[in-house]
Amino acid sequence: MDSLQPQASRSGIDHSPGRACAPVAGSDWQALLGGPPLNGAELHALNQMVELRSLSAGAPVMQREQPALHLLAVLRGAVGLGQARHDQPFHLERTVRGPAWLDLSSAWLAQGFAQDARAQGEAQVLALPLAAMRTLLSHEALMLDRLMVGLSRTVQSLTGTAHDLMHKDAEKRLAAWLLQRAEGDTLLQLGERKRDIAAQLAITPETLSRMMRQLKLKGLIEVQGYSVSLLAPAALRQLAAD
Amino acid sequence: MDSLQPQASRSGIDHSPGRACAPVAGSDWQALLGGPPLNGAELHALNQMVELRSLSAGAPVMQREQPALHLLAVLRGAVGLGQARHDQPFHLERTVRGPAWLDLSSAWLAQGFAQDARAQGEAQVLALPLAAMRTLLSHEALMLDRLMVGLSRTVQSLTGTAHDLMHKDAEKRLAAWLLQRAEGDTLLQLGERKRDIAAQLAITPETLSRMMRQLKLKGLIEVQGYSVSLLAPAALRQLAAD
DNA sequence: CGAACCCTTGATACGCTTCAACAAGAGTGG
DNA sequence: CCACTCTTGTTGAAGCGTATCAAGGGTTCG
């Protein structure tokens, strides 16, 4: 096998506290909400209504059709969105790595969650009850903007992935994924199983393996187990472009 | 050829007024914003800030990278979102048929529009300046909900199309498209060119033609030029399901 | 050690695209 | 009016991209 890295505690859900009372750092709120620095009143209001959940690998975060009463965000770790089928394996479509919003949309609609979500390893998730959030929004004008920006970013990101699925082949999507994941850096540690990466790219693990080899043969990347280094980011960007 | 229907005035843009001063009906606002009936104050405020644009076939509605200062909606007609390439043909990805929101997200971000948009035939588009909208939102609590619902619906719709592109083949996507487009009815008039339908399904016109024949041979639909009747909606739903 | 899991590689099969040809309206101009 | 062109949809043959199936090797765990 590869030198291994992602060790997703194959046992699945274990007895987790489910909800801890640790506070959320101001810097975390800032990372999540963005915009101008949060003032004390905002932080106080947020910390008063927030619910924190510490999850272990595989723990469910959202369940389809369940009523959605909270805005959800990932603080630490990663959460996978997709479909849980009665048949065993969870089908992954997208993963959110904290700190970032996980689901800002379901709570505003009356239909419950549209997807399932599972913690990918140890993760910390926070939930803001929509009812309380609504009253906060009516007082704090800035908070509205922050939320709108979060929701808008989700829209643009989803538009992008739809576009990629329509027009880019597997190699292009992989190149784009690597670049986005590296965040400008040139060395990159894959923290998840390769089959999960493949699922997000909507290809099979076999194809992912072949595409990695392709990029390696072209001299664009170097692969050693779960660490990938981008040898020619410019060429990769070129390749990933439509 | 088929008995023809969609006649997109091949000449493209013609001299349009660009902006007319007709008012927007209360029923249109309601269709767009949903929720509890809009009161007089809300309608007044909206009508005061709204900008109405009457567009002829092919006229640009959004242009990539252009600053986005308005929330956009389609009142009448249809608008296509996609990419305009320096090379001639506009590549369609999604179409919005009025009355419905066209773009609620770009204005909140500082990066301008992420896609191009073109009127697909005669269309009427309305624009709400974000600056004015922001102050309205701080006064009218209900309006916030309506907007959030609109944005959330966009998110869920995009999540759905991404899911379909990942997991459904051409036949399934076509079946799903037909069902959604029929809106429960059994007879269905295609108002657009079939190649545009194909583009939205991310397949070639040739494949669309073949898939139509497939469904016809299976006795699920009947096709006569640009009118399609769904003979077995239940079976179609079954086919379209994952 | 064997069992379970992961990644890789190769052979084959299938879905869809691409390319080419054709039929049928629509617009144009003689 | 007809001939001509442009555009659209349809059909068939060939080819590419990716999935599927099967086998093998590596690592961890009991």
Side-chain angles (χ1 to χ4, degrees), chain B residues 111-162:
Chain B
Q111 309 151 331
F113 295 112
Q115 294 189 109
D116 295 295
R118 298 269 168 102
Q120 310 255 81
E122 296 286 317
Q124 224 172 8
V125 168
L126 67 75
L128 296 167
L130 180 59
M133 201 61 189
R134 248 195 266 254
T135 72
L136 175 62
L137 286 175
S138 60
H139 298 313
E140 301 277 358
L142 276 180
M143 192 58 74
L144 171 64
D145 264 63
R146 304 184 209 267
L147 221 57
M148 283 302 201
V149 168
L151 212 35
S152 297
R153 268 205 257 269
T154 306
V155 170
Q156 308 250 334
S157 153
L158 285 170
T159 304
T161 71

Side-chain angles (χ1 to χ4, degrees), chain A residues 175-215:
Chain A
W177 187 90
L178 287 170
L179 286 166
Q180 184 189 337
R181 187 64 132 60
E183 294 172 2
D185 201 355
T186 176
L187 182 61
L188 165 58
Q189 290 291 334
L190 306 181
E192 58 225 299
R193 298 182 304 175
K194 291 189 179 167
R195 56 180 23 162
D196 290 333
I197 300 174
Q200 292 178 63
L201 295 172
I203 60 182
T204 59
E206 292 94 327
T207 305
L208 175 61
S209 180
R210 288 186 247 268
M211 292 303 143
M212 287 283 226
R213 190 173 30 162
Q214 284 283 334
L215 294 182

Side-chain angles (χ1 to χ4, degrees), chain A residues 83 91 93 105-106 108-109 114-115 134 144-145 148-149 151-152 155-156 158-159 162-163 165-167 202, chain B residues 83 91 93 105-106 108-109 114-115 134 144-145 148-149 151-152 155-156 158-159 162-163 165-167:
Chain A
Q83 299 224 162
H91 199 127
E93 288 184 1
S105 65
S106 297
W108 299 95
L109 306 172
Q115 295 190 109
R134 248 194 267 257
L144 171 64
D145 265 62
M148 284 303 206
V149 167
L151 212 35
S152 297
V155 169
Q156 309 250 333
L158 285 170
T159 303
H163 174 89
L165 287 169
M166 290 202 246
H167 302 309
Chain B
Q83 299 224 161
H91 200 126
E93 287 184 2
S105 65
S106 298
W108 299 94
L109 306 173
Q115 294 189 109
R134 248 195 266 254
L144 171 64
D145 264 63
M148 283 302 201
V149 168
L151 212 35
S152 297
V155 170
Q156 308 250 334
L158 285 170
T159 304
H163 174 89
L165 287 169
M166 290 202 246
H167 302 309

Side-chain angles (χ1 to χ4, degrees), chain B residues 30-88:
Chain B
Q30 193 68 51
L32 212 56
L33 291 158
L38 289 150
N39 63 44
E42 288 173 311
L43 285 175
H44 180 71
L46 287 169
N47 279 320
Q48 198 139 17
M49 72 174 79
V50 70
E51 244 178 60
L52 214 61
R53 304 177 193 170
S54 291
L55 304 167
S56 50
V61 180
M62 299 165 22
Q63 276 175 277
R64 263 208 299 184
E65 322 239 314
Q66 289 282 310
L69 304 172
H70 303 262
L71 307 180
L72 297 178
V74 184
L75 258 188
R76 312 226 175 287
V79 171
L81 289 100
Q83 299 224 161
R85 320 185 81 110
H86 38 290
D87 193 349
Q88 274 296 4

